[in-house]
Amino acid sequence: MKILIARLNHETNTFSPVPTRLEDFGLNGPDYDADAYAANKGARTAMGAYIDLAEAFGAQIVTPLSATANPSGPVDGDAYRIMTHHIVDAAAGCDAVMLDLHGAMVAESTDDGEGDLLERLRMVCPDAPVAVALDLHGNVTQKMIDNADVIAGFKTYPHVDMYEAGHLAGSVLITKLKGEASPALAWRQLPLMTHTLMSATQSPAMHAAVEKARALEQRGEILAGTVMAGFALADIPAPCLSVIIVGKDKASAQAHADALADDIWAQREGYVYHSPPLSESIARARHAHDVPGLAHPDCGAANGPVLLLDHSDNCMSGGTCDTMDVLQEALAQGLSNIAVGPVCDPETVAALFEAGEGARVTVDLGNKRPLESLGIVKAPLRVEGTVRRLGSGEYVISGPTYTGMKCGMGRTALFEFDGVQVVVTEKTQEPWDLGVFTCVGVDPSTKDYLLLKSRMYCRPVFFPIAKGYVECDSAGVTSSNYDLFPFRKIRRPVYPLDEVSR
């Protein structure tokens, strides 16, 4: 038996000015064929799980592509064509297909990147069953449902179960190949645009929904169940929450999908995040710092820093990683002993490298990418300071997400001014690890405040060294304030943009 296994991941923020080119899919572009296999064999990815399952099944494996890029703007049309053609061209003659996708890919040529790919694969090999693993933030479409046999998604956010989602989807497909089951796919989409902060699986509403899906699986009532929170920062018809059930027959699968969706709808307010004004958030951070010896219940160090989580400029949702709003407000309110990182500003990096370590320079920091889709243009922050350290910006993630993965921020400089140390980089980067600071000689645990361009993935690593955290919503392309976004394609009414009665 011949099984095609491929990975193509991108979460598209259609409002982001950050380009998504072919070379952005990996450290040096996509991995093809044997390199795609090597990149995932033994890895904790859905594609890694597929490889393990297919090899245990004794199948011949075809691995045409492994490509993943950080969230950013719509995928370049040629890049999308090249990558999807490489998958489709390898499909002829395959007996089954296992795909590691995201579910929220928008390209310049299509609003439904995954649905179009699946439709083309179905045309090439109409009799080959297809299994798909999706990110929890996928925007599911009818075309995706119509052209897949099995779909299973992540059940954690922050995501730590990529391998498990692939293993579940692939295992159900193999039962079909063996003739041991006839899985039936059902889904229900709600007119509900969730806020990403409320899709965390420790958030009460999302936690309850995911646990109901787990319970259905554990009781054997279904083969797989997924709550897809969706990714709302995409101007497409339905960037909304979905429930996907893989059942033993169509009728029962749909009944379970409808029942779980109805439960979610009854708790819809639990998926909405209400942002306080930025000035209020910074004031709360200062208060948290000033209370001696008291740590937030989620944090682990009574004398550690307070985290300022700038979730409006989070590169893992398409942020530019260069907005200065939170830092400016912190300085205005007198906060000091702050470490910031990373700020993506290649122009400033070039100036700091040219000046050299120890040099005293004046730079225009951040706010370089105009947020044209939001009608916002910000002026850089002009500051005078000292170049403290220059480096390669490389570090290795200690875990728990992507443990052992080598990361590179491009050339990286540590710039210090007015009680602030800023890690300035050539590339956008999620603060996956303390390494974003330690690679340039900063011990983040010694700071009073850490300003992180992050929404969620920093938490497993930074919360243990912090005494508290505050979520900061500034005017960026990953803001939780949907009023900033000029949605044009979305089907209305949709909650919470509109009042919706059902």
Side-chain angles (χ1 to χ4, degrees):
M1 182 163 291
K2 185 177 179 182
I3 299 179
L4 183 148
I5 300 174
R7 182 184 188 197
L8 179 55
N9 296 163
H10 189 253
E11 180 178 85
T12 305
N13 181 331
T14 62
F15 301 99
S16 174
V18 180
T20 313
R21 306 154 300 184
L22 185 64
E23 58 265 34
D24 297 317
F25 283 84
L27 289 176
N28 298 294
D31 290 312
Y32 298 102
D33 306 316
D35 289 337
Y37 174 90
N40 288 273
K41 175 60 178 176
R44 299 294 296 175
T45 61
M47 185 170 175
Y50 290 152
I51 290 171
D52 290 345
L53 287 166
E55 289 182 339
F57 188 47
Q60 176 188 352
I61 301 172
V62 180
T63 56
L65 181 78
S66 177
T68 181
N70 281 343
S72 45
V75 178
D76 174 81
D78 286 339
Y80 177 78
R81 177 184 55 79
I82 290 167
M83 292 186 292
T84 55
H85 276 15
H86 209 73
I87 295 173
V88 174
D89 289 348
C94 288
D95 300 294
V97 176
M98 297 180 178
L99 295 180
D100 178 348
L101 304 178
H102 183 283
M105 175 184 282
V106 177
E108 292 173 341
S109 53
T110 175
D111 283 347
D112 189 0
E114 288 87 357
D116 283 3
L117 170 61
L118 288 166
E119 184 178 59
R120 289 162 58 196
L121 283 168
R122 186 67 88 189
M123 293 174 66
V124 170
C125 42
D127 298 323
V130 177
V132 181
L134 294 178
D135 189 289
L136 175 147
H137 294 109
N139 291 324
V140 183
T141 66
Q142 186 66 54
K143 191 178 287 188
M144 293 164 64
I145 297 296
D146 289 344
N147 292 286
D149 296 271
V150 177
I151 297 177
F154 307 163
K155 288 184 173 69
T156 62
Y157 180 50
H159 307 315
V160 293
D161 66 331
M162 292 80 85
Y163 183 94
E164 287 77 8
H167 195 276
L168 178 58
S171 296
V172 174
L173 187 72
I174 286 176
T175 64
K176 180 178 176 67
L177 294 175
K178 290 180 176 179
E180 297 173 355
S182 298
L185 190 60
W187 78 307
R188 169 86 171 275
Q189 188 171 64
L190 293 170
L192 171 58
M193 292 170 58
T194 68
H195 283 97
T196 305
L197 277 167
M198 303 308 290
S199 65
T201 41
Q202 66 268 29
S203 181
M206 188 66 179
H207 178 78
V210 170
E211 288 307 305
K212 288 175 182 176
R214 286 188 194 275
L216 290 171
E217 291 176 354
Q218 291 167 357
R219 292 196 299 266
E221 297 182 43
I222 63 173
L223 301 174
T226 307
V227 179
M228 304 291 297
F231 182 63
L233 301 179
D235 194 16
I236 59 175
C240 296
L241 183 147
S242 292
V243 175
I244 301 176
I245 299 293
V246 183
K248 300 174 182 179
D249 62 80
K250 185 68 174 179
S252 65
Q254 192 63 58
H256 284 302
D258 290 341
L260 183 50
D262 287 344
D263 288 346
I264 290 170
W265 183 253
Q267 301 297 321
R268 58 191 176 277
E269 176 60 27
Y271 295 87
V272 178
Y273 180 82
H274 299 281
S275 295
L278 181 57
S279 59
E280 180 181 317
S281 297
I282 298 301
R284 285 175 48 221
R286 182 166 189 167
H287 174 73
H289 169 265
D290 291 344
V291 176
L294 180 64
H296 187 282
D298 294 337
C299 297
N303 295 310
V306 176
L307 308 181
L308 310 178
L309 304 185
D310 186 5
H311 62 89
S312 286
D313 190 25
N314 168 28
C315 80
M316 289 308 289
S317 291
T320 59
C321 268
D322 81 332
T323 63
M324 293 289 103
D325 304 50
V326 177
L327 178 57
Q328 288 173 300
E329 182 62 31
L331 292 172
Q333 294 197 30
L335 276 59
S336 62
N337 193 24
I338 308 169
V340 184
V343 170
C344 179
D345 187 343
E347 181 181 313
T348 295
V349 169
L352 298 177
F353 267 76
E354 183 178 355
E357 289 187 3
R360 187 81 179 168
V361 294
T362 298
V363 297
D364 292 325
L365 181 64
N367 286 347
K368 298 288 172 53
R369 287 189 184 271
L371 309 180
E372 294 178 353
S373 64
L374 307 185
I376 296 173
V377 178
K378 306 181 182 191
L381 177 63
R382 173 157 288 192
V383 289
E384 180 183 355
T386 303
V387 185
R388 290 298 182 198
R389 184 76 70 90
L390 302 174
S392 66
E394 295 181 350
Y395 65 94
V396 176
I397 297 175
S398 60
T401 305
Y402 297 124
T403 304
M405 186 174 79
K406 184 177 181 180
C407 294
M409 302 185 288
R411 291 192 303 169
T412 298
L414 178 64
F415 184 61
E416 183 175 336
F417 64 93
D418 299 336
V420 179
Q421 290 188 316
V422 184
V423 179
V424 193
T425 65
E426 290 184 313
K427 298 179 180 180
T428 61
Q429 179 87 175
E430 172 73 25
W432 299 109
D433 194 85
L434 303 182
V436 299
F437 293 106
T438 59
C439 74
V440 285
V442 176
D443 180 355
S445 68
T446 65
K447 299 300 176 180
D448 290 338
Y449 303 93
L450 293 178
L451 198 172
L452 304 175
K453 298 285 191 176
S454 182
R455 174 181 277 129
M456 197 61 62
Y457 289 109
C458 67
R459 300 184 186 214
V461 174
F462 285 89
F463 274 24
I465 69 163
K467 71 172 297 186
Y469 72 97
V470 176
E471 292 158 345
C472 301
D473 196 348
S474 56
V477 293
T478 68
S479 173
S480 296
N481 178 9
Y482 289 163
D483 290 340
L484 292 175
F485 299 92
F487 294 107
R488 296 184 179 89
K489 296 182 179 180
I490 290 177
R491 289 195 295 265
R492 309 290 288 264
V494 62
Y495 189 82
L497 301 185
D498 310 296
E499 289 296 328
V500 181
S501 59
R502 298 180 72 253

